[in-house]
Amino acid sequence: MSEPTATTRPLEPDWSAITAEELIAYRDAENRFRASSAARAITGDPDPGAAIDWQEVALPDRDLPVRVYRPADENRAREAAPAELPLLLHVHGGSFVGTAVQCDWTNSHLAARLPAIVVSVEHRLLDAATPLSAAADDAWDVLRHVMRHAAQWGIDPTRTVVFGESCGALISALAAIRAREAGLRLKAQVLVNPAVDVTETMFDHASIAEYGYSPTRAVPLLRLFQRLAVPPGTDARALSPLYAENLGGLAPALVVVPTRDAVADHGRRYAERLRAAGTSARLTEYPGARHAFLSMPGVEPQAETARAEILEFLRAALAGCHDGRCRV
C-alpha cells in the first residue's frame, strides 16, 4: 500500500444526515489525509528505531493488509531478547474511518523500545454493509493466524498482547475474551479510551452528558457508530465487552482514560467490572486529555506520558509481573 505525501483534510460531515455514499467518500478522503505527510504534525513522526512495512495476511476467505513494525536492528533486539520477539496485535481507532498509519508514532516506539513485533490490523471499516462483527473477526483472525505461524513472523506466541484505541480498544477487548474462550493465553491487554458499550445504554453514562458536544460533537458521531455497528437483529450486548457475562481469567489490563471524553465512563466502568471479576486492571486517567489523544502527540502533550506508561506496563506484563507480583 502506498502512502500519499500530502493532501487536504475534508470537512467533517453532518453525521446525523450522512448517506452511505457520502460516508465512503468522506472516509476515503479522511484516510488519505491521516496517511499523508501533512498529518505528521498531528500524529507524530515514527520512531527511527523501527522498520515499518505493509504486509498481506492470507486468511481462508480473504486477504487483509496489516502494518508491521519491527526493531530496525533485529540482531541487537534479539540479543536483548534471545527468544523470538513478543507480539503486539494492534487495532486502530475510528470504526467507520481510520488507518493503521495514524498510529505510527506509538506503534513504532513500542516496536523499537520493548522490543517487539507490532502487527496493526487494517480491518474492514464499518459501513452499511459491514457491521462491527466483521471488524472484530478481522482482528481475531489475524491474531490467530500470526500466533499459529509464529516462526514465520519471528514472534513468541506465549508473549502476546492485544492493544487498541477507541473502537479498536473495543475490538481488542473482544479479542481478549475470545482468546480466553479458545484457550489462547495472552500476556496483557491495553485499552485506550475504550468505547466498550454499543447498546442503548452507551448514551446513559455521565461522561456523555458532560462531553457529548464539547470539545467535539461526539454524540452524533457515536450514534452513527452504533447504527453501523449493530444493524437491526444484532445482539448489541454480544459486541459490548462491558456486558460480557464472564470477565474473569482474562489477561491483565491497562485501561487508559482521557477525562475530556464522552466515553470516559466506558473505560472506568469496564475497569471496575474487570476487577470485580478477578482480572487485574490498572485504570489511569489523563486529566484534560481528549478522546484520541494518544494518536495526536502533535497537539496533545499528555500523549508522551501515556506512551511511556504503556511501554512500562508492557515490559512488566511480558516479564510476568503485574500489581507488584511476578510469575516465572
Side-chain angles (χ1 to χ4, degrees):
M1 296 179 67
S2 61
E3 294 165 24
T5 56
T7 189
T8 301
R9 189 166 205 173
L11 295 175
E12 183 173 303
D14 180 351
W15 301 117
S16 63
I18 193 169
T19 66
E21 294 76 16
E22 289 169 344
L23 175 62
I24 299 300
Y26 167 77
R27 83 175 180 204
D28 287 349
E30 174 66 11
N31 279 355
R32 283 196 299 273
F33 172 77
R34 295 188 188 193
S36 72
S37 58
R40 293 297 188 194
I42 299 171
T43 61
D45 293 318
D47 191 306
I52 308 173
D53 199 7
W54 287 103
Q55 291 182 220
E56 290 282 331
V57 173
L59 299 171
D61 59 346
R62 65 200 185 283
D63 293 338
L64 278 176
V66 295
R67 193 159 174 84
V68 183
Y69 308 77
R70 298 176 180 271
D73 185 349
E74 288 204 43
N75 291 329
R76 180 169 57 82
R78 290 175 187 274
E79 289 175 6
E84 299 298 311
L85 293 172
L87 166 67
L88 273 63
L89 193 286
H90 174 264
V91 189
H92 66 76
S95 72
F96 52 77
V97 69
T99 170
V101 183
Q102 71 195 39
C103 304
D104 279 357
W105 180 77
T106 300
N107 286 339
S108 61
H109 180 91
L110 294 176
R113 305 297 174 87
L114 272 174
I117 307 296
V118 181
V119 176
S120 188
V121 183
E122 196 82 339
H123 60 77
R124 286 171 287 179
L125 297 171
L126 276 58
D127 56 35
T130 310
L132 176 60
S133 58
D137 285 346
D138 286 348
W140 173 241
D141 290 345
V142 170
L143 176 63
R144 289 191 300 170
H145 175 91
V146 176
M147 292 181 74
R148 288 171 177 170
H149 299 84
Q152 174 185 330
W153 287 83
I155 62 104
D156 175 1
T158 68
R159 294 191 295 156
T160 296
V161 174
V162 292
F163 166 35
E165 301 146 74
S166 190
C167 177
L170 182 160
I171 292 170
S172 297
L174 290 172
I177 295 169
R178 291 170 83 165
R180 180 202 60 199
E181 294 171 348
L184 300 180
R185 296 181 63 85
L186 303 179
K187 281 290 188 180
Q189 52 181 318
V190 177
L191 311 175
V192 181
N193 46 283
V196 288
D197 181 4
V198 292
T199 73
E200 283 302 319
T201 66
M202 75 180 295
F203 300 101
D204 295 343
H205 302 275
S207 58
I208 289 279
E210 187 169 4
Y211 297 109
Y213 291 92
S214 176
T216 61
R217 290 177 53 82
V219 168
L221 187 151
L222 287 171
R223 291 202 180 279
L224 174 61
F225 163 51
Q226 183 193 47
R227 187 162 67 249
L228 297 174
V230 286
T234 302
D235 181 2
R237 292 177 70 91
L239 293 165
S240 300
L242 187 62
Y243 291 110
E245 290 185 7
N246 180 12
L247 293 175
L250 298 178
L254 171 63
V255 182
V256 175
V257 170
T259 61
R260 294 182 68 204
D261 182 8
V263 296
D265 283 337
H266 285 213
R268 294 179 181 120
R269 301 294 85 78
Y270 194 57
E272 290 174 359
R273 282 218 59 213
L274 289 170
R275 291 168 181 162
T279 292
S280 174
R282 179 202 296 181
L283 172 66
T284 304
E285 300 197 19
Y286 284 82
R290 293 175 290 174
H291 178 70
F293 81 117
L294 185 64
S295 59
M296 300 191 298
V299 294
E300 284 283 1
Q302 293 190 81
E304 178 65 51
T305 305
R307 188 179 68 172
E309 181 189 16
I310 292 168
L311 179 62
E312 176 271 331
F313 174 82
L314 290 177
R315 281 176 172 159
L318 291 168
C321 306
H322 61 91
D323 289 344
R325 300 185 298 273
C326 295
R327 293 180 173 82
V328 177

